[in-house]
């Protein structure tokens, strides 16, 4: 197996923009990643494009990636469409890493893109319903509530259980939202950049108790991309690229434990890097309680002590283990199929020392954990990736 590096990354702004379109977003992020790596489109061997809900929201299905790049320099490059719920982008990256590691390609582009918002807001929430087991929850009836994502019902149940099991309070969820918004205030690509207070988070509209609007990820549009190649190819052909070694990229579905636990443990085993040794983490905070739960699931702390980390400021910028320096899904935005690669773009920005006011000093190792779908009381899939700056 060959060493794999990320030689370039790109990302559009994340925002609500009905009608922006998969083509404009995907090509924008791809062009930025290609330019960052110094690679011309004709040198790309393969493209993997992650998208979750285009079939429902825009009615573009089956050949999403081919349509997106049909007028681009990547037109005609072998392309595989990847759909894996909110982990579509990281799953595209996982496939790109496997293709390069196994010697089937030298240069592969992974792109994640999502047009989640629509003038018809019901389309967005109908699409999100598809990330669950419909045979279990039943098909939508005429009285279905289309004012929120069904996933917030699941997150609220987890939140109530979390509160019942330890000494946490809703203020701890608010602290997560405040922390991530503070980080996003330094991220020009983030959807929400205005700082907020604990009081404002708690006073925002209730979605499903104890979750308020400010504790939940928004509807978001955007794209992100990563240019993946073999380390040998980069050394020979990309002398100016700031490459990042992919120490691990593990995809798990939770056969014996929650997929977050399984994927992060696999990433630790493959990379040889304990979670305690990484310098920053991007977690899948689709709702604020999800971030807290993942602290325990990836091993940042003992289970039951997750809320203490945020109370002590250990996951803030400048803390022991900064989490979601991008602003996370809550504030950077959650463009479903693009989210996993947006996490990778943030790690790349940090590890290359380009993050400005949100920079983690001396960052060398980063971990991203991206989750997708909901089934059997937890995520259906998780991808955990470890990146390392070598120079």
């Amino acid at each position: 197996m060959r060493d794999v590096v990320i030689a370039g990354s790109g990302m559009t702004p994340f925002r609500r923009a009905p009608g922006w379109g998969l083509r404009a977003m995907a090509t924008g992020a791809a062009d930025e990643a290609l330019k960052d790596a110094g690679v011309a489109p004709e040198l790309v061997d393969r493209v993997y494009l992650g998208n979750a809900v285009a079939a429902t929201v825009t009615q573009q299905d089956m050949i999403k990636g081919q349509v997106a790049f049909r007028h681009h320099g990547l037109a005609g490059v072998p392309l595989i469409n990847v759909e894996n719920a909110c982990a579509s982008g990281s799953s595209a990256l996982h496939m790109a890493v496997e293709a390069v590691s196994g010697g089937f390609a030298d240069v592969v582009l992974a792109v994640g893109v999502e047009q989640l918002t629509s003038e018809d807001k019901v389309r967005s929430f109908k699409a999100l319903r598809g990330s669950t087991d419909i045979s279990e929850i039943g098909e939508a009836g005429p009285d279905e509530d289309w004012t929120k994502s069904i996933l917030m019902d699941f997150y609220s149940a987890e939140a109530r259980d979390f509160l019942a099991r330890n000494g946490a309070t809703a203020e701890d969820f608010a602290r997560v939202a405040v922390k991530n918004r503070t980080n996003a205030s330094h991220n020009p690509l983030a959807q929400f950049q205005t700082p907020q207070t604990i009081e404002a988070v708690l006073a925002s509209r209730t979605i499903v108790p104890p979750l308020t609007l400010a504790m939940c990820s928004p509807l978001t549009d955007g794209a992100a991309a990563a240019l993946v190649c073999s380390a040998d190819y980069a050394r020979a052909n990309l002398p100016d690229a700031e490459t990042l070694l992919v120490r691990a990229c593990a995809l798990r579905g939770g056969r014996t434990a929650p997929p977050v636990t399984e994927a992060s443990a696999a990433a630790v085993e493959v990379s040889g890097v304990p979670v305690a040794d990484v310098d920053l983490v991007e977690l899948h905070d689709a709702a604020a309680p999800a971030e807290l739960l993942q602290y325990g699931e990836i091993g940042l702390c003992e289970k039951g002590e997750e809320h203490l980390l945020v109370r002590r400021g250990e996951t803030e910028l400048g803390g022991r283990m900064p989490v979601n320096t991008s602003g996370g899904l809550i504030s950077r935005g959650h463009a479903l199929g693009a989210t996993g690669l947006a996490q990778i773009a943030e790690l790349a920005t940090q590890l290359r020392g380009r993050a400005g006011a949100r920079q983690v000093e001396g960052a060398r190792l980063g971990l991203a954990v991206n989750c997708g779908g909901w089934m059997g009381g937890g995520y259906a899939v998780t991808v955990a990736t470890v990146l390392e700056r070598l120079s």
Side-chain angles (χ1 to χ4, degrees):
M1 305 296 280
R2 302 190 297 178
D3 284 343
V4 178
V5 299
I6 290 178
S9 64
M11 180 174 164
T12 69
F14 271 27
R15 62 192 184 194
R16 285 179 57 91
W20 190 1
L22 299 184
R23 179 174 294 142
M25 290 185 280
T27 57
D31 284 342
E32 189 174 335
L34 291 167
K35 181 179 179 181
D36 188 36
V39 171
E42 57 267 24
L43 297 177
V44 175
D45 299 318
R46 192 178 301 179
V47 177
Y48 292 97
L49 183 131
N51 174 268
V53 298
T56 303
V57 176
T58 70
Q59 300 182 45
Q60 179 62 65
D61 200 0
M62 302 190 191
I63 55 169
K64 293 172 274 194
Q66 288 85 349
V67 169
F69 289 107
R70 68 176 300 189
H71 303 304
H72 188 272
L74 291 167
V77 173
L79 185 146
I80 298 173
N81 292 289
V82 181
E83 194 281 288
N84 218 7
C86 304
S88 296
S90 59
S91 297
L93 176 68
H94 181 264
M95 296 177 75
V97 169
E98 284 192 331
V100 173
S101 176
F104 299 103
D106 286 320
V107 181
V108 179
L109 184 66
V111 182
V113 60
E114 204 69 69
Q115 178 73 66
L116 181 58
T117 66
S118 169
E119 297 295 347
D120 178 6
K121 197 172 183 179
V122 171
R123 285 190 186 183
S124 303
F125 291 131
K126 283 184 175 180
L128 292 169
R129 186 178 175 84
S131 65
T132 66
D133 184 344
I134 298 299
S135 68
E136 183 176 278
I137 65 173
E139 294 185 16
D143 299 323
E144 189 71 31
D145 179 6
W146 296 118
T147 64
K148 62 177 176 63
S149 164
I150 192 172
L151 293 172
M152 293 307 141
D153 292 332
F154 303 133
Y155 284 122
S156 69
E158 278 202 323
R160 291 191 298 271
D161 181 61
F162 184 82
L163 295 178
R165 284 189 285 106
N166 53 47
T169 69
E171 287 192 1
D172 295 312
F173 303 150
R175 288 186 176 94
V176 172
V178 169
K179 169 185 70 69
N180 291 354
R181 181 65 64 84
T182 299
N183 295 345
S185 71
H186 303 300
N187 182 358
L189 300 180
Q191 184 169 358
F192 298 135
Q193 300 178 31
T194 302
Q196 56 189 356
T197 64
I198 290 176
E199 293 74 21
V201 172
L202 293 172
S204 64
R205 176 169 63 88
T206 298
I207 302 301
V208 188
L211 302 181
T212 65
L213 181 64
M215 297 177 190
C216 304
S217 57
L219 299 178
T220 309
D221 307 315
L227 195 287
V228 178
C229 62
S230 70
D232 288 342
Y233 182 93
R235 280 190 291 268
N237 300 283
L238 307 175
D240 298 324
E242 293 184 71
T243 57
L244 303 171
L245 180 65
V246 181
R247 292 287 298 265
C249 188
L251 187 153
R252 293 293 187 273
R255 290 172 296 181
T256 60
V260 170
T261 300
E262 283 199 348
S264 56
V268 167
E269 180 180 359
V270 172
S271 68
V273 178
V275 171
D277 287 354
V278 303
D279 299 299
L280 72 154
V281 181
E282 286 285 304
L283 292 179
H284 193 87
D285 61 322
E291 179 175 316
L292 287 184
L293 286 167
Q294 287 167 47
Y295 291 170
E297 289 177 331
I298 70 172
L300 281 184
C301 64
E302 294 295 325
K303 291 186 177 180
E305 299 180 357
E306 295 90 344
H307 58 295
L308 301 180
L309 268 63
V310 73
R311 287 184 186 181
R312 296 192 293 252
E314 293 186 30
T315 55
E316 296 177 2
L317 281 170
R320 173 174 68 89
M321 182 67 70
V323 174
N324 285 333
T325 58
S326 65
L329 283 63
I330 294 175
S331 287
R332 181 202 60 234
H334 183 22
L336 303 190
T339 288
L341 281 161
Q343 292 179 328
I344 297 302
E346 176 65 14
L347 293 188
T349 298
Q350 289 282 352
L351 298 180
R352 291 162 161 183
R354 301 177 182 177
R358 68 183 192 282
Q359 179 65 49
V360 175
E361 189 68 27
R364 186 179 66 86
L365 287 161
L367 168 68
V369 178
N370 179 215
C371 307
W374 195 270
M375 189 172 62
Y379 295 113
V381 60
T382 298
V383 180
T385 306
V386 177
L387 300 184
E388 181 180 13
R389 171 179 54 83
L390 297 177
S391 58

